[in-house]
Amino acid sequence: MTSATVADRRSLWRAFTASLSGTSLEWYDFAAYSVASATIFGPLFFPGNDPLASTMLAFSTYAVGYVARPLGGFVFGRLGDVIGRKRVLVITLVLTGTATFLIGVLPTYATIGSTAAILLVLLRFAQGVGIGGEWGGAVLLSSEFGDQAKRGFWASAAQIGPPAGNLMANGVLALLGALLTEEEFIGWGWRLAFLLSAVLIAFGLWIRVRLEETPVFKAIEAKGARPSAPISEVFRDERRGLLAGVFARVCPDVHYALFTVFVLTYATRELNVSRGWAMAAVLISSALQLVLIPAFGALSDRVNRRKLYLVATIGAAVWPWIFFPMISGGSVGLLILGVVVALVLHSAMYGPQAAFVTEQFSERLRYTGSSMAYTLAGVIGGAVAPLLFTALLSWTGSWPAIAGYIVLTSVVTVIGLALGRDPVSS
């Protein structure tokens, strides 16, 4: 092996680590908010006589983070194709981390009244903007350094971020809940999870600022092929790819929201399972995803990516009809098993997803197109999912409407896969 090959290999793994660590840290921020929305933010920022209504209001701010993503996707996606991947990824990391830290010092409703809720929404919006600009660049950071024949595996680095961040956020909040009394946790303990983001973001920045720009962007720059109006070009020339990317992402987003966010509310409120055990189910499943997501990404390099994605989507449509009756007795063991199976199915969709979405766009528009697909899907998928789950449960008093909603999103994703194209050499 030559010294150049060793250097290239080192750059590749450094890019993989930067993609993985950056998205993990940003998703830690996002997931900490998600868990807090499902468990404690309702009474702290949206107090009321009806606990379910309070939770719905908290979930509405959860949705704000998704609604803000297109702004981040459009602004930072465009910049990523014009000024480069690396610079944009440093900006998004700082933006998300700062917003999360400020949530940790935010006064609650009891201190400043409704102003607390307004500030919380604004900070959640800033989180969403940062995440919206992060994903497309993180995927390209690792995949554009890697062997294109193994794009599924290398691109999956960014996909490991959500379960890794979710694992860290649930773990920190569960540890704080175990070490502190309920009164201490509600009073000030939850803030520590958000303040910790300052340390994590500093670590992520240390890794990212040492990176070089990707070889693909360097080549585009050398040829003078950088787009001047990438958003317009995507809408004009690559509409089918955009629709394929958006639709393909809907079911995985909604499925993930059900089994990592809403399941906490359902288990504690409907089944009387303790918050600790509900979090344990998500923690165990998220830990498995750290291995399963890159494994399914690698598998998609060996089999048809769209067919693997399709089989997992069908499984996701079926599983809620088994899951809810299975856990109706309040068994903790069956709850853990049910969430594990759900996130195995999610991994089989999510592992190949990054490669599939980026393959729908030409190299010079790939950051913009991928970011737009990612963020627009979040608005119609994950943004409203916990709120809709809670509303459907409130309106119907049972779970079949929730399972039906998952079936509907699966149909949308199947349409996206049908519109998409298989891998090309670029």
Side-chain angles (χ1 to χ4, degrees):
M1 185 178 292
T2 65
S3 59
T5 303
V6 172
D8 289 343
R9 196 73 177 170
R10 188 180 298 118
S11 296
L12 174 56
W13 281 106
R14 188 180 295 132
F16 186 90
T17 303
S19 177
L20 168 59
S21 61
T23 52
S24 297
L25 298 176
E26 293 201 51
W27 272 94
Y28 168 85
D29 298 344
F30 210 73
Y33 189 101
S34 302
V35 176
S37 294
T39 54
I40 59 172
F41 273 2
L44 287 176
F45 291 93
F46 307 95
N49 296 326
D50 185 349
L52 191 61
S54 180
T55 299
M56 288 179 68
L57 285 171
F59 277 154
S60 70
T61 63
Y62 171 90
V64 167
Y66 279 89
V67 173
R69 287 185 187 186
L71 176 60
F74 278 57
V75 172
F76 292 120
R78 178 188 179 280
L79 287 174
D81 281 326
V82 174
I83 68 173
R85 294 30 168 154
K86 172 188 170 178
R87 295 180 191 174
V88 171
L89 288 172
V90 169
I91 297 171
T92 59
L93 193 60
V94 171
L95 176 60
T96 308
T98 301
T100 304
F101 180 84
L102 291 176
I103 290 174
V105 297
L106 186 64
T108 63
Y109 183 93
T111 304
I112 59 173
S114 58
T115 303
I118 295 171
L119 293 175
L120 183 66
V121 169
L122 291 175
L123 292 173
R124 178 62 169 177
F125 187 88
Q127 271 190 331
V129 171
I131 292 286
E134 164 73 18
W135 185 82
V139 169
L140 298 183
L141 190 64
S142 55
S143 65
E144 289 186 347
F145 271 102
D147 180 355
Q148 300 309 298
K150 297 179 181 178
R151 182 184 284 143
F153 171 74
W154 293 114
S156 72
Q159 302 297 82
I160 305 171
N166 202 30
L167 183 64
M168 290 190 292
N170 275 279
V172 169
L173 287 168
L175 180 62
L176 290 171
L179 295 177
L180 304 174
T181 66
E182 186 77 10
E183 185 176 306
E184 290 171 334
F185 181 76
I186 297 295
W188 55 268
W190 64 270
R191 296 182 182 277
L192 298 179
F194 291 87
L195 298 177
L196 179 62
S197 69
V199 178
L200 300 177
I201 295 299
F203 172 74
L205 284 174
W206 176 72
I207 294 177
R208 285 192 172 178
V209 296
R210 300 170 65 221
L211 281 175
E212 295 183 6
E213 188 53 79
T214 73
V216 171
F217 183 79
K218 285 182 177 179
I220 293 171
E221 193 173 31
K223 291 186 292 186
R226 288 185 297 175
S228 58
I231 296 175
S232 299
E233 288 190 50
V234 169
F235 279 122
R236 185 184 68 234
D237 302 327
E238 304 195 9
R239 287 190 298 271
R240 177 167 178 161
L242 181 60
L243 286 175
V246 170
F247 289 175
R249 281 189 39 79
V250 172
C251 179
D253 266 15
V254 175
H255 182 86
Y256 192 71
L258 174 59
F259 289 103
T260 62
V261 180
F262 179 75
V263 72
L264 299 174
T265 297
Y266 189 86
T268 54
R269 299 256 169 99
E270 301 298 315
L271 305 178
N272 293 317
V273 174
S274 71
R275 182 174 64 204
W277 278 115
M279 284 186 174
V282 176
L283 281 169
I284 293 168
S285 304
S286 295
L288 290 173
Q289 282 200 293
L290 300 181
V291 176
L292 290 173
I293 286 176
F296 279 114
L299 180 60
S300 76
D301 290 322
R302 294 169 171 77
V303 302
N304 184 278
R305 212 180 315 279
R306 288 195 296 164
K307 289 181 180 177
L308 174 60
Y309 206 142
L310 175 62
V311 170
T313 302
I314 294 171
V318 172
W319 185 242
W321 300 95
I322 301 171
F323 173 77
F324 284 107
M326 184 175 77
I327 65 170
S328 61
S331 167
V332 170
L334 290 178
L335 174 65
I336 293 173
L337 175 63
V339 177
V340 165
V341 173
L343 293 193
V344 169
L345 291 169
H346 179 262
S347 299
M349 293 184 286
Y350 210 60
Q353 184 187 96
F356 173 81
V357 171
T358 58
E359 286 163 353
Q360 307 311 308
F361 304 99
S362 58
E363 288 181 342
R364 57 190 298 276
L365 298 174
R366 198 163 274 167
Y367 199 144
T368 302
S370 299
S371 297
M372 289 168 63
Y374 175 78
T375 56
L376 291 174
V379 172
I380 63 176
V384 296
L387 186 61
L388 275 179
F389 292 145
T390 309
L392 289 171
L393 180 63
S394 177
W395 295 336
T396 66
S398 190
W399 58 266
I402 295 172
Y405 176 37
I406 295 293
V407 172
L408 178 62
T409 65
S410 299
V411 171
V412 173
T413 288
V414 169
I415 293 172
L417 294 173
L419 287 172
R421 65 177 181 175
D422 288 321
V424 292
S425 59
S426 65

